[in-house]
Amino acid sequence: MKKLSNPKELEKLRKTIQNRRDPNKPVVTICGGTGCQASGCEHIIETFKKEIIKQSLQEKIDVRITGCHGFCEKGPLVVIYPSKIFYPMVKSKDVSRIISETVVNNKVIEELLYVDPSSGERITYEDDIPFYKKQTRTIFGSNGKIDPKNIEDYIAISGYSALEKVLPSMKPQDVIDEVKKSGLRGRGGGGFRTGQKWESCSKAKGKQKYIICNADEGDPGAYMDRSILEGNSHSVIEGMILGAFAIDSNHGYIYVRAEYPLAVKHFSIALNQARKLGLLGKNILNSGFDFDIKIYQGGGAFVCGESSALIQSIEGNVGEPRAKHIHATERGLWDCPTVINNVETWANIPLIINKGAKWYASIGTEKSKGTKIFSLVGKINNTGLVEVPMGMTIKEIVFDIGGGIPNDKEFKAIQTGGPSGGCIPRSLMDMPIDFDELKRAGSMMGSGGMIVMDEDTCMVDVARYFMEFNLDESCGKCSSCREGNARMLEILEDICVGKGNENSIPLLEELSEYIKETSLCGLGKTAPNPVLTTLKYFKDEYLSHIQKKECPAKVCKPLIFYEINSEDCTGCGMCAKKCPVNAITGEKKKPHTIDKDICTKCGTCIATCKFNAIQVKTGEKK
Amino acid sequence: MKIDVSHAKKIIQRYRKKKGILIPLLQDIQAIYGYVPEETVGLISKELSIYPVDIYGVTTFYTQFHLMPQGKHTIKVCQGTACHVMGGKGILNCISDKLGIKDGETTEDGRFSLERVACLGCCGMAPVVVVDEDFHGNCNFQKIDYLLNQYKSKKEES
Ligand SMILES: Cc1cc2nc3c(=O)[nH]c(=O)nc-3n(C[C@H](O)[C@H](O)[C@H](O)COP(=O)(O)O)c2cc1C
Ligand code: FES
């Protein structure tokens, strides 16, 4: 790769790459994201490579390892281009057929196709699958088309063309104005207006300014940032270069979670390739503008996702948030003006510059523009990452894209906003999702986790879970957050073991108010939200725990017990054999019984029983 | 057990006279020794004029750092929201029972360390367990049995 010395050369390189590529040449794309790795895609990739050599087709077929397509549950995913025939859950024994029949002869192998669980129909093309059909994949769509380790792939699909447009002909203020006009709001949680943030940093005094990409992604249940970094690091890098140009910064950082090794690897490969082409470094494309990015690996602390704590962490300190009376845009990293944006926010920037603010602002709702990637997980048929325009309703996401709830269970709630958010009940299913609607419902956008809960999810247990999380992750600086969350957790634990009383709920409410009012950073200020929303929408569940000592979802162990239904039990004895505490007894071929005093409710017997004879009950033991 | 501090000395040299280096420095040290040995803390303190209390402050604040040697295999069990809803707690309890250790501990034979983590970014396949670098999705009790046995026999082979 030769260093490019001006925007024209970049354009020329793009043309050369595009011309060199025959659009009709078959390409086998295999998802290599972390999700598909967990289902063994590496073995599939090897098999494809070997099989192509075996059939002497190296010259005729390309193999491309892409980033995450979003439909992780069905991995390993294989899409054959140019036809876009889609095979989910590919096994190595099918590889040779896929090559000889589909890739070479364009023949669809019926039995390997995806079967839509709701209609039972087989679907041939990726785009026709309901999970993808209702999505608007403006950011995430590129993931399936490019090899994240090859900058040429990104350039071929118009990558770095926003940079090409900006450097020769736009002024920094023009870029800021364009982003302002687009209405883009930060995807890291708070929904701050990105253009305004850049403008105040651009106006702040200081010789040195910094750009930071927040890739700490601590919200449990959200992984879109990881997938963007793994699948298309260049879109984030291009966004950061444009941002740096807009505020006149020469130094960028990306703060990545230590738990994301593949993301770090792909990002550093991308950085090196961009440097080699002269898209990063000194005098980028002969514009006189210098910019480079350093990778900083976080140490595994949720609170470090908070902007001031993140800055502390890069400075080498314990990640404690600072008071926000001075904004990072004025005094951030090393006391210099700093812009921090989330991964997904950065990935939106090239799109806005390329397609224009007007186009961007036409997507979404009045005050929330563009698309948002959600991680649709939990009790849902199609789990994975979905990108939809702001304003889509919960119902559309859960039922049309997500395919509803498995095993005919009842949809109970979605949880958004991570540990700062809340649970939104089924009754608000028609609510359009955007920053402001979610806030009105008592939750928030957060980074886009959307955890679906069904009738078997106990909302008190969920509230307890988040409180435990927040207490674990509280940095300990503010006593209201450190001690208050601990007291709230105690009360919630009491309720879950049947020791709640009439004071429990009023106390929770009172503590919530204090913690929200008196904590310094976003963690404490929002920590009570999961409790407050579950109290608001699911008070009856709290009351069942407190008054009747029952857990309606049959989750809280001290309030449940196991029983064997004598009609269904065949006396096969499997459960008795597997029970780790020997609580199950009975004669062969006769219904067995569980000694409730010994039983630890570990669930082993339920997992073992082939006849669904073991029942979980709540309330008084008979 | 005595450790060889010469590696640590070399690493420390690289970070001299730079600002904000403590975390990357400790990460490098841990990459060599598998944990942050006490001896290296003293060394960093002396060489770079950082108080031990600040070093321990950082090592205990960030979950990534260990002050004790870790087992041959590290098992991380996700306790993120998606995994919690899908039964991640049961998985943690199951492994904990089978190994006879709680999270944060290492088995006596030094074979396994057990950790709980909040979201591994694989929520689509909850509940998730990571052994060393390998992700295992959609875990259940049977799968755990199989997994543990696999890693036990791996040890015997080597
Ligand atoms: C406790 C806490 C954790 C946070 N974690 C993250 C995170 O993991 N990723 C992120 O982008 N923003 C996180 N934020 C939000 C950041 O403070 C900041 O607002 C954001 O990175 C700004 O980028 P944006 O304007 O593009 O959203 C967190 C905030 C708080 C209070
Ligand atoms: S919640 Fe377990 S991987 Fe995300």
Side-chain angles (χ1 to χ4, degrees), chain B residues 46 52 55 77 91 99 118 142 146 148:
Chain B
K46 211 168 81 208
I55 304 172
V77 189
I91 300 290
L99 296 180
Q142 279 98 328
Y146 173 75
L148 291 182

Side-chain angles (χ1 to χ4, degrees), chain A residues 221, chain B residues 78 80-83 119-123 128:
Chain B
C78 182
T81 320
C83 290
C119 192
L120 293 154
C122 252
C123 328
V128 179

Side-chain angles (χ1 to χ4, degrees), chain A residues 16 37 83 186 196 207 221 278 360 383 454 494 523 567 622:
Chain A
T16 319
Q37 282 191 1
S83 63
Q196 273 80 346
K207 256 206 206 127
Y360 193 86
T383 64
D454 70 0
D494 275 350
L523 193 149
E567 277 168 30
K622 282 200 202 83

Side-chain angles (χ1 to χ4, degrees), chain A residues 186-188 192 197 214 217-218 305-307 340-342 345 522-523:
Chain A
R187 302 299 196 236
F192 303 110
K197 191 191 261 186
N214 187 345
E217 192 159 62
E306 198 275 340
S307 49
I340 298 191
N341 280 122
N342 165 266
T345 315
L523 193 149

Side-chain angles (χ1 to χ4, degrees), chain A residues 271-282:
Chain A
L271 282 181
N272 282 333
Q273 292 181 340
R275 279 188 202 120
K276 275 200 187 124
L277 283 180
L279 301 168
L280 276 176
K282 290 245 176 290

Side-chain angles (χ1 to χ4, degrees), chain A residues 5 8 97 128 237 244 397 439 448 492 568:
Chain A
S5 41
K8 287 229 168 64
R97 279 177 69 202
D128 292 338
I237 295 174
I397 297 181
K439 222 169 195 165
L492 289 164
D568 292 331

Side-chain angles (χ1 to χ4, degrees), chain A residues 257-293:
Chain A
R257 280 183 79 183
E259 285 91 342
Y260 287 2
L262 194 64
V264 172
K265 189 170 146 200
H266 285 184
F267 199 85
S268 51
I269 292 173
L271 282 181
N272 282 333
Q273 292 181 340
R275 279 188 202 120
K276 275 200 187 124
L277 283 180
L279 301 168
L280 276 176
K282 290 245 176 290
N283 193 13
I284 296 172
L285 299 180
N286 203 25
S287 59
F289 166 62
D290 309 334
F291 180 67
D292 211 329
I293 301 170

